[in-house]
């Protein structure tokens, strides 16, 4: 991803992340966008030039069909973490997600990582299916119950 493309990606990714956090009840409508911006500022203080962060456009036949953000995990120097992965809706169900994940895993291995992790929002069955199909297994599951009676 080029620096000129990063600004547009960053804005869209922040909005999507905020919406997901609102949907699952982690953040409120009033605070979500600011919290999402803070997360991005912490994780990518130098934008797409932040060391050990790899931001890619997924391109098929000269069309951008998605994005992929991989970084060194904060927990282990041998673990990569997928912070963002998206195949645009009009390009889903064509095997592109599985292929992009395979390429991402190969890239991570070439960078010296021995493991790759990611986070899935609860209720995102489509993503969960793609990740399991690509060989990912569940490790931790956090659940919640609203106490509104």
């Amino acid at each position: 991803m080029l620096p000129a493309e990063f600004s547009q990606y960053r804005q869209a990714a922040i909005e999507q992340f905020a919406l997901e956090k609102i949907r699952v009840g982690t953040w409120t409508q009033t605070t979500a966008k600011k919290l999402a911006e803070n997360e991005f500022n912490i994780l990518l203080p130098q934008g797409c030039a932040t060391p050990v962060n790899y931001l890619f456009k997924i391109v098929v036949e000269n069309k951008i069909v998605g994005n992929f953000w991989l970084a060194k995990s904060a927990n282990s120097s041998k673990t990569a973490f997928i912070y963002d992965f998206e195949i645009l809706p009009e390009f889903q169900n064509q095997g592109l997600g599985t292929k992009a994940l395979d390429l991402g895993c190969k890239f991570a291995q070439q960078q010296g990582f021995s493991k790759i992790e990611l986070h899935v929002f609860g209720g995102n069955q489509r993503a969960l299916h793609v990740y399991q199909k690509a060989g990912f297994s569940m490790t931790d599951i956090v659940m919640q119950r609203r106490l509104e009676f």
Side-chain angles (χ1 to χ4, degrees):
M1 184 177 297
L2 301 173
E5 299 162 325
F6 176 73
S7 178
Q8 184 178 0
Y9 161 75
R10 181 183 183 278
Q11 190 58 39
I14 285 171
E15 288 175 19
Q16 185 60 39
F17 185 53
L19 287 173
E20 287 293 329
K21 287 291 210 173
I22 292 166
R23 183 182 64 78
V24 298
T26 308
W27 294 342
T28 66
Q29 183 82 33
T30 9
T31 61
K33 187 163 184 191
K34 185 65 176 162
L35 291 170
E37 286 175 352
N38 289 343
E39 292 269 336
F40 270 72
N41 291 339
I42 290 167
L43 293 170
L44 294 168
Q46 298 171 34
C48 60
T50 302
V52 295
N53 280 266
Y54 311 95
L55 291 113
F56 299 98
K57 298 176 297 182
I58 302 169
V59 180
V60 176
E61 297 176 4
N62 296 319
K63 293 180 186 162
I64 297 174
V65 302
N67 299 293
F68 190 85
W69 170 17
L70 178 80
K72 183 181 83 156
S73 170
N75 300 324
S76 167
S77 63
K78 289 304 212 175
T79 301
F81 192 88
I82 299 172
Y83 278 99
D84 192 18
F85 172 53
E86 173 190 33
I87 299 295
L88 299 172
E90 61 268 29
F91 299 103
Q92 293 177 0
N93 298 316
Q94 299 175 30
L96 298 175
T98 302
K99 186 168 185 165
L101 282 170
D102 287 344
L103 290 171
C105 289
K106 286 176 185 165
F107 176 83
Q109 191 174 27
Q110 291 168 352
Q111 300 308 306
F113 296 111
S114 58
K115 184 169 56 170
I116 192 165
E117 297 176 335
L118 54 83
H119 168 270
V120 181
F121 280 104
N124 191 343
Q125 294 302 315
R126 176 186 294 270
L128 192 56
H129 170 76
V130 170
Y131 297 139
Q132 288 176 323
K133 184 177 166 185
F136 286 80
S137 59
M138 288 187 214
T139 55
D140 300 305
I141 298 174
V142 176
M143 299 176 75
Q144 72 177 0
R145 176 183 170 183
R146 294 194 186 277
L147 297 176
E148 300 165 6
F149 299 101

